[in-house]
Amino acid sequence: MVLSIIIVNWNSQKFVRQCLASLAKYRPPVEFEAIVVDGASFDGCDAMLAREFPWVRYVQSPTNVGFGRANNLGARHATGRYLLLLNPDTEFIEDMISTMLGCMERLPQAGAVGCRLLNANHTLQTTSTQSYPTVLNQLLDSEFLRHLFPRSSLWGMQPLYAEGGQPVEAEAISGACVLLHRERFEAVGGFTDSYFMYGEDLDLSYKLNRAGYTNYHIPSARLVHFGGGSSKQAASNFSTVMMRESVHRFMRSNRGAFSALAYRVTTGASALARLVLIFPLMLFGDRIVRHGTGSLRKWKAVFKWSIGRPAQAAARSSSPANPPVQANTV
């Protein structure tokens, strides 16, 4: 078997159907298998697959173990030489798998290989590649600064603007679509189990780099990524805080306790500054009040996390809903 495609589902049956239908339309001319792992959502995906996509293998996890561990479970059932880890909220618009496999076979030191992710309107999704987290790039991270300085090394987006369509070296590859040698994935231990939601793709890319491999972005391979197909169903504050928790975990594991502490302190200071600014803005107009209330809950949750509140408690205490969550890395 050349390729195993692994898709993790958590209450995303609609997205899984759309993804597999587009895969069937643009199926690569190689022997491959598709494996769907359900993270204890029990949303009827198994029946849908049996009815509409009988060629897909289904693996049921009895508990919601998170995105990384669910992919590890899928990999244990895989028989392909290569693994394509794919979010359910993606859609093929071309046979980009052949492009990615061709590049992988020409890159003997390739670790993780990613494609050009597009939004629903086919504009560029700038999270296709990232820099590894540092205290500085996390403190300065904002859509405004990213828009002003898209080629700054702080964000790791330079590969997205390379010309020529050839593979470009990148730091971290988005977990929405990542192609790997199965043996290399297994050699670095797959996804680290301690990541439940977000950050596992950063950690995997980092482990592959540390093992001597190079990660690549392939601009000529395009895939639509709708983004947050599962995580949008979760409480937004919970997702926001879990992102910080995952970055903190990455810092502590890979950069040391001091960097992790510095990240927590600067995140708290940034959240507090935003809270101070939001209060006066809420005095002007209903629209600003509505927006400000949501932002107030968000940054209150982040601040509570920064001073030591557990991630789930900090987020859920200021959120109107508390559904279970399973990660789809965005």
Side-chain angles (χ1 to χ4, degrees):
M1 185 72 67
V2 175
L3 177 68
S4 297
I5 301 171
I6 301 173
I7 301 171
V8 173
N9 172 61
W10 188 81
N11 284 335
S12 300
Q13 182 188 145
K14 176 182 176 182
F15 281 111
V16 172
R17 175 188 284 114
Q18 179 174 278
C19 178
L20 290 172
S22 67
L23 171 61
K25 182 177 180 180
Y26 296 104
R27 58 189 304 137
V30 297
E31 186 180 10
F32 75 93
E33 63 182 354
I35 302 170
V36 172
V37 181
D38 181 70
S41 61
F42 304 107
D43 63 349
C45 192
D46 53 343
M48 182 274 291
L49 293 174
R51 183 176 61 252
E52 300 180 31
F53 305 98
W55 46 274
V56 174
R57 295 172 61 192
Y58 181 79
V59 177
Q60 179 68 66
S61 173
T63 58
N64 185 10
V65 296
F67 181 76
R69 291 176 67 184
N71 269 296
N72 290 343
L73 176 60
R76 289 196 292 271
H77 286 80
T79 60
R81 187 166 72 251
Y82 296 104
L83 301 177
L84 178 64
L85 311 180
L86 196 63
N87 271 20
D89 55 346
T90 54
E91 183 178 18
F92 292 88
I93 55 174
E94 61 190 23
D95 176 18
M96 47 78 71
I97 293 179
S98 293
T99 302
M100 293 183 73
L101 285 173
C103 289
M104 177 70 90
E105 291 174 354
R106 295 194 302 271
L107 301 168
Q109 284 302 112
V113 173
C115 67
R116 190 174 186 84
L117 297 175
L118 306 177
N119 296 307
N121 62 359
H122 290 202
T123 56
L124 175 65
Q125 198 165 102
T126 55
T127 55
S128 301
T129 62
Q130 304 175 58
S131 288
Y132 296 124
T134 65
V135 174
L136 181 61
N137 67 21
Q138 295 303 299
L139 178 63
L140 297 179
D141 191 18
S142 71
E143 289 300 322
F144 176 72
L145 290 178
R146 283 172 173 263
H147 180 73
L148 280 182
F149 308 106
R151 291 174 173 81
S152 170
S153 60
L154 285 171
W155 328 125
M157 300 190 305
Q158 309 98 307
L160 306 182
Y161 302 99
E163 298 179 357
Q166 296 302 310
V168 186
E169 291 188 18
E171 287 194 8
I173 301 300
S174 170
C177 176
V178 56
L179 180 68
L180 312 103
H181 286 272
R182 180 183 171 188
E183 290 183 356
R184 294 174 186 177
F185 178 78
E186 293 173 346
V188 299
F191 284 113
T192 302
D193 286 351
S194 58
Y195 290 86
F196 178 79
M197 183 177 189
Y198 305 121
E200 57 279 293
D201 49 356
L202 293 170
D203 184 75
L204 178 61
S205 293
Y206 190 81
K207 290 195 298 184
L208 287 163
N209 274 164
R210 196 166 53 189
Y213 301 112
T214 302
N215 302 321
Y216 289 93
H217 169 70
I218 303 177
S220 58
R222 305 178 304 150
L223 180 74
V224 171
H225 177 222
F226 296 99
S230 292
S231 59
K232 282 181 180 178
Q233 300 175 45
S236 59
N237 292 339
F238 181 74
S239 301
T240 296
V241 173
M242 285 303 295
M243 289 180 186
R244 273 75 182 178
E245 177 71 16
S246 294
V247 171
H248 182 264
R249 187 179 302 277
F250 178 92
M251 293 281 200
R252 189 173 64 243
S253 299
N254 300 302
R255 304 203 185 280
F258 179 78
S259 291
L261 177 62
Y263 169 69
R264 188 182 284 271
V265 170
T266 54
T267 298
S270 177
L272 184 60
R274 284 173 165 86
L275 289 171
V276 170
L277 290 172
I278 290 168
F279 275 115
L281 291 175
M282 291 176 65
L283 300 176
F284 302 96
D286 291 342
R287 182 177 178 182
I288 294 179
V289 168
R290 288 194 299 272
H291 176 73
T293 301
S295 297
L296 186 68
R297 286 196 297 264
K298 170 185 173 180
W299 293 111
K300 182 181 176 182
V302 172
F303 180 73
K304 285 183 176 181
W305 170 82
S306 75
I307 59 175
R309 289 286 299 279
Q312 294 189 13
R316 290 177 175 176
S317 65
S318 58
S319 175
N322 304 317
V325 181
Q326 192 276 323
N328 276 328
T329 308
V330 177

